[in-house]
Amino acid sequence: MRLEGKKAIALVSKDFEDLELWYPLLRLQEEGATVHLVGEKAGEEYPGKYGVPATADLAFDDVNPADYDGILVPGGWSPDKLRRYDKVMEMVKHMDEHRKPIGQICHAGWVLISADILKGRKVTSTPGIKDDMMNAGATWVDEAVVTDEHIVSARRPPDLPPYAKAYADLLAEQ
């Protein structure tokens, strides 16, 4: 299992896009990675947009990003909530500074925008936040998956298979 020994954070908050959280998480686990769901409160259950719940393993305050090899940010409406937490910003900035894989899909780009890590990066997202991404200094392209150094981005749920593969490939290189 090529990801055995790897640890990743999957951020969770109310109204995450169900598939955008679960698909990559399960993909990494099936390759041997440990993935912790991290939310505002440990043990709290967060409902997805379509009703699939996720229970946080850990709270934002309980996580030391140095203990992890990467981070996943799901889309949905949760990124608008996640970007309001200083601890989330610290986690994302830490991953960026240490060139650890950051995965973002759909509206998750809002978190990277708020972390101020997109200047000069080539990314994709849902077209609905294209202007936001460009205003943050990114070069936005309409492609299923874009990998720019340690940042892997995707547009929406139909892009999940190549997105999860690209992220797993990058995590395996860590």
Side-chain angles (χ1 to χ4, degrees), residues 39-132:
E40 183 181 9
K41 296 178 185 170
E44 185 163 328
E45 184 175 278
Y46 298 92
K49 278 176 52 178
Y50 303 106
V52 179
T55 302
D57 300 308
L58 300 167
F60 300 142
D61 290 335
D62 298 335
V63 172
N64 178 355
D67 295 337
Y68 291 84
D69 302 298
I71 192 167
L72 290 166
V73 187
W77 303 124
S78 69
D80 190 36
K81 295 168 184 68
L82 290 168
R83 65 183 176 164
R84 300 174 195 194
Y85 294 98
D86 290 338
K87 285 299 221 176
V88 170
M89 294 298 97
E90 289 172 22
M91 283 185 260
V92 172
K93 288 178 181 184
H94 174 89
M95 295 296 174
D96 185 56
E97 289 167 7
H98 292 88
R99 301 296 186 242
K100 294 180 179 182
I102 299 171
Q104 70 96 39
I105 184 168
C106 201
H107 286 84
W110 280 336
V111 174
L112 280 63
I113 289 167
S114 292
D116 195 27
I117 65 167
L118 290 181
K119 287 181 185 75
R121 305 278 187 185
K122 182 179 173 185
V123 294
T124 194
S125 67
T126 179
I129 66 166
K130 170 186 174 183
D131 292 344
D132 301 331

Side-chain angles (χ1 to χ4, degrees), residues 17-59:
E17 196 337 303
D18 303 53
L19 285 173
E20 293 171 359
L21 174 72
W22 290 111
Y23 188 109
L25 183 148
L26 294 170
R27 176 75 168 81
L28 296 180
Q29 287 179 335
E30 76 182 4
E31 289 207 44
T34 299
V35 184
H36 290 136
L37 286 168
V38 180
E40 183 181 9
K41 296 178 185 170
E44 185 163 328
E45 184 175 278
Y46 298 92
K49 278 176 52 178
Y50 303 106
V52 179
T55 302
D57 300 308
L58 300 167

